[in-house]
Amino acid sequence: MAAKTLEDIPGVGPAIAEKLREGGYTDLMVIAVASPKDLAETCEIGEKKAMDIIEGAKLCADIGGFETGDNILERRKAVTKLTTGSKAFNELLNGGLESQAIVEFFGEFGSCKTQVCFQLAVNATLPEEKGGLDSDVIIIDTENTFRPERIIQMANFLGVDPDYTLRRIHVARAFNSQHQILLVDKALELAQQKKIRLMIVDSLTSHFRAEYLGRGALAERQQILNRHMHDLLNFATLNNAVIAVTNQVAAKPDAFFGDPTRPIGGHIVGHTATFRLYLRKGKGGKRIARLIDSPNLPEGEAVFMVTEDGIKD
Ligand code: GTP
Ligand code: MG
């Protein structure tokens, strides 16, 4: 059966489909879960019409269903672990970063979130017996901090061909939050051509934080961020991939989460991320990772180093 398009919704012809697409409602599922008011406003159609379209989309969209525990267990058997490069850090995570999960690294500026991401990108290209995923990598870079020079240094230290490593790392700059969201769709397309078992979003929250200012915008920001997190989780499940995201600790008190040591993105990011790691600086170039939240591992800390060669014990 061919995939259904917007024109398959009863009462949606080319003109309305065009309006929907222009409004960012490009997918049946997105329409099925939209609010009539939002859809009507964004696409400049009547609210009654919007309700009909949403009802129609619910019938056409593949909403998914329930899955039995044995199926889930079968899928969990495919979970593998990606090495961080540090023994202590791996132990904290019971072997490394799990696939089919989102791992959030949060911390202040300079706490080495980006350095950890570079190391993970290089490691993911390694064969599985070396702790890698033998796969290509996608990096969504929102702060323009990707540095191929660092990848080369890390690859050289591991004795792997730096040019080959760089060719396996696919980087996209996200110019704003909407672009960031669309890049996840692009990533799904790329994953159909290439094996991609690591996707990095560095930083997950910076655009959202800059664009949705103040208390009034908070609900909308959290809603969009929530949808984005679920898109990422979907990528993780479909591709048996690790999703690594970074999140800065708010230096100034956030409009809502007043505590300055709390990661921004608040409850939404916290509840959707499968593992949360708090990174902070220690003495003499040391870095400390603290596991905050995990469905199956105890809380704890690991000390590691960031050097020219990458992440080490
Ligand atoms: P924000 O994105 O600003 O929130 O920070 P971040 O947590 O991403 O920090 P990032 O990973 O950029 O860490 C920067 C730190 O990494 C620097 O302060 C250095 O301590 C360390 N670092 C970066 N490159 C090198 C290097 O080549 N050698 C060594 N020894 N340390 C490095
Ligand atoms: Mg950074």
Side-chain angles (χ1 to χ4, degrees):
M1 196 177 72
K4 294 200 170 164
T5 66
L6 303 192
E7 284 84 352
D8 290 315
I9 303 173
V12 173
I16 300 231
E18 172 83 22
K19 281 188 178 183
L20 290 168
R21 290 198 176 97
E22 271 175 13
Y25 294 91
T26 52
D27 181 281
L28 286 170
M29 189 63 168
V30 172
I31 298 172
V33 300
S35 91
K37 195 163 167 288
D38 285 353
L39 190 79
E41 268 174 26
T42 315
C43 305
E44 294 173 337
I45 52 178
E47 210 162 307
K48 170 74 177 69
K49 181 78 187 165
M51 278 162 82
D52 291 344
I53 291 172
I54 290 168
E55 285 312 309
K58 282 182 188 161
L59 296 174
C60 298
D62 181 10
I63 306 278
F66 298 95
E67 201 178 5
T68 51
D70 56 330
N71 268 345
I72 297 171
L73 179 65
E74 203 51 44
R75 195 170 59 237
R76 295 271 317 153
K77 280 186 193 155
V79 166
T80 57
K81 291 187 178 163
L82 169 62
T83 180
T84 60
S86 144
K87 202 160 166 270
F89 204 162
N90 285 348
E91 273 166 16
L92 180 68
L93 294 166
N94 193 24
L97 278 71
E98 261 187 27
S99 62
Q100 300 179 27
I102 299 178
V103 185
E104 177 199 354
F105 296 93
F106 72 97
E108 276 183 12
F109 68 93
S111 57
C112 287
K113 301 181 291 295
T114 297
Q115 300 301 314
V116 168
C117 290
F118 291 161
Q119 186 71 61
L120 293 173
V122 174
N123 292 354
T125 66
L126 299 173
E128 292 198 15
E129 60 273 18
K130 294 235 166 96
L133 301 169
D134 189 20
S135 98
D136 283 29
V137 176
I138 286 179
I139 300 182
I140 299 179
D141 179 9
T142 72
E143 301 184 310
N144 196 20
T145 52
F146 178 73
R147 292 293 176 275
E149 297 84 352
R150 289 291 287 143
I151 302 291
I152 293 171
Q153 286 173 332
M154 293 175 183
N156 278 333
F157 176 71
L158 291 173
V160 293
D161 178 4
D163 292 326
Y164 178 61
T165 307
L166 284 171
R167 280 200 299 277
R168 298 188 82 177
I169 301 177
H170 309 263
V171 185
R173 282 273 315 274
F175 297 105
N176 57 36
S177 64
Q178 195 54 37
H179 188 206
Q180 180 178 331
I181 288 166
L182 291 175
L183 284 169
V184 181
D185 292 341
K186 278 278 162 209
L188 282 168
E189 281 173 27
L190 188 59
Q192 288 180 349
Q193 298 154 28
K194 293 195 182 309
K195 177 173 163 189
I196 303 209
R197 296 198 50 210
L198 172 65
M199 176 151 73
I200 291 167
V201 187
D202 183 17
S203 137
L204 175 74
T205 44
S206 59
H207 283 317
F208 289 92
R209 186 186 191 191
E211 291 165 30
Y212 296 89
L213 294 169
R215 196 177 264 279
L218 194 79
E220 194 188 355
R221 176 178 96 182
Q222 295 305 80
Q223 198 183 325
I224 297 173
L225 199 48
N226 182 37
R227 207 186 295 154
H228 183 44
M229 290 294 285
H230 281 93
D231 288 347
L232 293 172
L233 204 50
N234 181 43
F235 186 97
T237 313
L238 284 176
N239 296 291
N240 191 17
V242 175
I243 310 287
V245 303
T246 69
N247 192 0
Q248 225 191 22
V249 163
K252 278 189 299 191
D254 192 275
F256 191 72
F257 305 104
D259 179 352
T261 63
R262 284 272 202 88
I264 58 172
H267 301 302
I268 295 295
V269 174
H271 287 171
T272 320
T274 325
F275 300 92
R276 311 195 87 184
L277 286 148
Y278 176 53
L279 300 183
R280 66 177 199 273
K281 289 182 201 175
K283 288 203 182 85
K286 282 187 191 138
R287 293 291 186 283
I288 298 131
R290 178 167 186 82
L291 182 64
I292 303 284
D293 197 1
S294 139
N296 54 354
L297 296 176
E299 293 202 357
E301 286 194 343
V303 180
F304 64 96
M305 300 279 290
V306 176
T307 71
E308 191 180 310
D309 298 333
I311 306 295
K312 285 190 197 167
D313 276 306

